């Protein structure tokens, strides 16, 4: 019997290597600290039920922050007070696991007050072990929500005064008023009897979870000899003489016998179903037609070509400016020359998410041909799989190649209908951005406002972009 009591539970590591080289056989807790007792009881319970391999212990901020040194289970560290929220996520994602939220009084009743109340109210199928030692032990003995009236701490050196700091919070009493929790008990670590009761309570709480009964909450009045500046024996007496009158040791709620096994409503959704629920399916479907193209050509190399006066250079500038708003790397190189007197004017534009090597679009993956000579001049330079946008208002012939994508858009005609033939370049920008969705077409709006010097034409140009978007949606989606 003695050997059994002294034996290290299997749910503990044999050697606490994570603790470091100094005394890896013992815990970091102070002599007489209640955490040691509770850890041992918990580890023995996990052994008894054989669930250590599917147990996840959520450790809090506080003296038990290093619980993962000792428990040979899945361990996770939660931000201060957030252990019940983390435990909720773990349990819901892994319903077969046994999830334990292990927390001190500062962590649970102060910083994490909202988390514990709401996890309890949802009836999460987890086990919460609440170690109440009426003080912030780890940080030097400050007043906690459970500090007793009159109790001296480093932040209440004259004793806690209700008129100033309110009364100690009784968590079991609060949680047991909620409908969902199935088991709420307060125990203590004072003597053999209370320690045995703590063992039974923790055992029952873990069993409840194994049986999917729901939320169990065990509060343990636990000695903190260091924070209380008492010897271990005095600390145990202090619990009996001071804490237990304010925090009665009893079962507050136990509906676990009658509780039906809790089943989480879980459904695996496909990506398509998620989009449908969120109302984004239409958006996604709109994207499908261009996804391949942008994937194949993440660096967009454009040649925009047309007559002088068709605004091909401006179209390039606006695309580059809009792409900069998107934090893309850009380059824009105009080509002047005899084209300005009736031939083809053109510019090379590169939009990329990495640094651009050469700014020349010798072999573009996008050709915008605003007129016939431009198509004649550059059709063969487009890389296989590339895109050619043809201004079908002016270009009379079809693209000869069969290894490229082609959009025929009556750019000039559409712009004329808006009252400004010169806005054909903007129709084209809208069409290109809508087809590739390399960025939101509205990003071009700011650049247009800055580039168009005659303010009366701004709105028509913006409308022209939208017309290009509409045309692609209706004809090439
Ligand atoms: S300060 Fe208190 S709670 Fe923290 S380890 Fe020491 S005795 Fe335990």
């Amino acid at each position: 019997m003695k050997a059994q009591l002294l034996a290290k539970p299997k749910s503990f590591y044999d050697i606490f290597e994570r603790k470091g080289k100094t005394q890896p056989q013992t815990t970091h807790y102070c002599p007489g600290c209640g955490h040691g007792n509770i850890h041992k009881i918990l580890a023995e319970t996990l052994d008894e039920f054989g669930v250590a391999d599917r147990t996840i212990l959520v450790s809090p901020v506080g003296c038990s922050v290093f619980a993962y040194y000792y428990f040979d289970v899945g361990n996770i560290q939660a931000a201060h007070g957030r252990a019940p929220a983390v435990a909720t996520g773990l349990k819901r994602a892994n319903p077969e696991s046994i999830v334990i939220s292990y927390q001190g009084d500062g962590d649970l009743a102060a910083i994490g007050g909202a988390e514990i109340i709401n996890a309890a109210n949802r009836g999460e199928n987890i086990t919460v072990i609440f170690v109440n030692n009426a003080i912030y032990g780890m940080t030097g003995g400050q007043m906690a929500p459970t500090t007793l009236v009159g109790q001296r701490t480093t932040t209440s050196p004259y004793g806690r005064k209700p008129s100033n700091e309110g009364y100690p919070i009784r968590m079991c009493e609060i949680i047991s008023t909620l409908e969902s929790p199935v088991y709420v008990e307060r125990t203590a670590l004072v003597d053999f009897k209370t320690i045995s009761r703590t063992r039974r309570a923790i055992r029952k709480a873990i069993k409840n979870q194994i049986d999917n009964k729901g939320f169990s909450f065990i509060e343990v009045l636990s000695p903190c000899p260091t924070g209380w500046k008492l010897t271990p024996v005095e600390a145990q007496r202090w619990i009996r003489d001071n804490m237990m009158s304010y925090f009665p040791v009893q079962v507050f709620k136990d509906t676990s016998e009658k509780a039906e096994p809790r089943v989480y409503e879980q459904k695996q959704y496909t990506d398509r179903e998620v989009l449908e629920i969120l109302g984004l399916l239409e958006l996604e479907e709109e994207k499908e037609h261009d996804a391949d193209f942008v994937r194949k050509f993440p660096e967009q190399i454009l040649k925009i070509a047309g007559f002088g006066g068709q605004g091909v250079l401006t179209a390039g500038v606006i695309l580059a400016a809009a792409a900069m708003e998107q934090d893309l790397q850009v380059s824009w190189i105009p080509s002047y020359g005899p084209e300005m007197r009736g031939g083809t004017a053109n510019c090379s534009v590169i939009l990329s998410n990495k640094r651009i090597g050469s700014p020349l679009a010798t072999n573009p993956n996008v050709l915008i041909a605003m007129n016939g000579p431009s198509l004649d001049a550059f059709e063969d330079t487009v890389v296989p799989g590339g895109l050619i946008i043809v201004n079908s208002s002016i270009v009379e012939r079809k693209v000869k190649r069969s290894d490229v994508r082609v959009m025929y858009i009556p750019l000039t005609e559409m712009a004329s209908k808006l009252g400004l033939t010169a806005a054909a370049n903007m129709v084209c920008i809208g069409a290109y951005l809508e087809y590739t969705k390399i960025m939101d077409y509205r990003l071009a709006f700011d650049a247009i406002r800055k580039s168009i010097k005659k303010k009366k034409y701004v709105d028509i140009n913006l409308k022209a972009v939208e017309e290009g978007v509409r045309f692609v949606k209706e004809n090439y989606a």
Side-chain angles (χ1 to χ4, degrees):
M1 179 68 177
K2 187 178 167 191
Q4 194 183 342
L5 279 175
L6 294 177
K8 197 176 262 185
K10 289 195 181 64
S11 296
F12 277 157
Y13 292 112
D14 289 337
I15 300 289
F16 304 140
E17 287 173 351
R18 288 177 179 162
K19 184 169 172 256
K21 292 202 172 112
T22 314
Q23 297 186 314
Q25 298 86 1
T26 59
T27 69
H28 70 288
Y29 297 116
C30 309
C33 174
H35 280 300
N37 278 358
I38 302 169
H39 278 20
K40 187 155 189 286
I41 289 169
L42 178 57
E44 287 171 348
T45 306
L46 298 179
D47 282 2
E48 183 189 343
F49 289 121
V51 293
D53 61 345
R54 61 183 172 111
T55 293
I56 307 172
L57 182 64
V58 186
S59 307
V61 173
C63 285
S64 52
V65 68
F66 296 129
Y68 66 91
Y69 285 174
Y70 314 120
F71 286 92
D72 188 5
V73 298
N75 286 283
I76 196 158
Q77 190 76 55
H80 215 345
R82 308 305 184 245
V86 173
T88 297
L90 291 167
K91 186 69 185 186
R92 292 208 174 202
N94 308 280
E96 293 306 311
S97 59
I98 301 299
V99 181
I100 300 162
S101 179
Y102 188 103
Q103 300 179 261
D105 42 337
D107 186 79
L108 182 140
I111 297 103
E115 277 73 13
I116 189 62
I117 294 290
N118 284 286
N121 194 45
R122 292 190 302 269
E124 298 296 341
N125 188 25
I126 59 174
T127 304
V128 178
I129 298 177
F130 171 39
V131 183
N132 177 3
N133 54 26
I135 208 164
Y136 279 88
M138 178 201 192
T139 48
Q142 293 86 357
M143 193 187 78
T146 51
T147 295
L148 295 175
V149 171
Q151 184 181 342
R152 293 177 185 219
T153 69
T154 53
T155 50
S156 58
Y158 301 110
R160 179 177 190 159
K161 288 192 182 66
S163 59
N164 214 35
E165 291 95 26
Y167 288 90
I169 295 178
R170 296 181 175 109
M171 290 307 300
C172 277
E173 283 81 343
I174 292 173
I175 286 175
S176 59
T177 64
L178 301 171
E179 288 295 322
S180 300
V182 293
Y183 178 45
V184 181
E185 179 168 0
R186 181 182 292 122
T187 65
L189 300 175
V190 172
D191 49 27
F192 179 75
K193 194 172 158 197
T194 52
I195 291 172
S196 293
R197 190 166 170 168
T198 301
R199 179 184 300 279
R200 281 201 301 277
I202 289 177
R203 186 184 184 284
K204 184 177 175 79
I206 298 293
K207 181 73 166 58
N208 279 347
Q209 188 174 169
I210 292 169
D211 294 341
N212 292 321
K213 295 284 184 165
F215 187 86
S216 296
F217 183 88
I218 307 301
E219 176 177 343
V220 185
L221 304 182
S222 173
C224 174
T226 304
W228 299 346
K229 300 188 174 33
L230 299 172
T231 67
V233 174
E234 288 169 342
Q236 286 188 319
R237 284 198 203 116
W238 194 85
I239 292 175
R240 188 191 60 208
D241 297 342
N242 297 280
M243 290 187 82
M244 283 169 64
S245 53
Y246 188 83
F247 296 112
V249 168
Q250 65 181 71
V251 175
F252 288 86
K253 183 173 185 186
D254 185 3
T255 57
S256 44
E257 283 301 313
K258 287 185 287 174
E260 290 295 321
R262 189 183 160 118
V263 181
Y264 289 116
E265 282 178 29
Q266 277 200 324
K267 183 176 180 331
Q268 297 292 326
Y269 291 97
T270 63
D271 289 353
R272 190 182 170 82
E273 284 171 324
V274 171
L275 290 169
E276 202 169 359
I277 290 165
L278 296 175
L280 298 174
L281 192 56
E282 199 183 321
L283 207 62
E284 189 61 18
E285 281 176 344
E286 280 172 12
K287 280 184 176 180
E288 274 170 14
H289 69 281
D290 59 59
D292 270 359
F293 180 74
V294 175
R295 234 192 325 272
K296 194 166 174 191
F297 301 114
E299 184 169 78
Q300 295 283 291
I301 303 172
L302 295 99
K303 176 73 77 180
I304 308 176
F307 292 126
Q310 279 188 305
V312 295
L313 305 187
T314 306
V317 168
I318 285 169
L319 272 181
M324 281 197 285
E325 292 294 317
Q326 181 96 334
D327 285 339
L328 292 176
Q329 302 279 330
V330 305
S331 70
W332 171 83
I333 297 271
S335 173
Y336 299 104
E339 299 94 339
M340 297 299 279
R341 289 180 289 280
T344 61
N346 72 77
C347 64
S348 298
V349 178
I350 300 180
L351 316 176
S352 178
N353 53 14
K354 54 182 199 242
R355 292 178 73 178
I356 295 166
S358 164
L360 294 176
T362 311
N363 290 109
N365 44 46
V366 179
L367 168 64
I368 296 173
M370 298 290 286
N371 64 1
S374 299
L375 184 60
D376 294 342
F378 299 113
E379 178 180 343
D380 289 343
T381 66
V382 177
V383 296
L387 169 69
I388 300 179
I389 301 177
V390 177
N391 180 6
S392 59
S393 302
I394 293 178
V395 181
E396 291 174 351
R397 73 169 177 90
K398 298 289 182 194
V399 171
K400 293 177 191 149
R401 291 180 51 183
S402 57
D403 62 345
V404 291
R405 301 157 196 242
V406 184
M407 284 201 290
Y408 296 100
I409 308 177
L411 301 171
T412 307
E413 192 184 321
M414 289 168 68
S416 289
K417 282 186 185 161
L418 293 173
L420 186 67
T421 307
N425 57 349
M426 299 300 152
V427 179
C428 189
I429 284 178
Y432 165 72
L433 292 179
E434 176 58 21
Y435 183 80
T436 60
K437 286 201 172 59
I438 194 157
M439 59 191 157
D440 191 308
Y441 70 88
R442 282 163 288 230
L443 281 175
F445 286 1
D446 254 0
I448 290 171
R449 289 190 187 99
K450 284 176 193 154
S451 305
I452 307 289
K453 295 197 175 58
K454 293 189 179 166
K455 297 303 165 199
K456 64 179 180 178
Y457 294 133
V458 168
D459 284 348
I460 295 181
N461 278 282
L462 300 185
K463 182 74 184 142
V465 173
E466 288 174 339
E467 276 296 285
V469 171
R470 181 192 59 75
F471 186 89
V472 168
K473 274 186 179 164
E474 289 177 4
N475 297 282
Y476 289 97

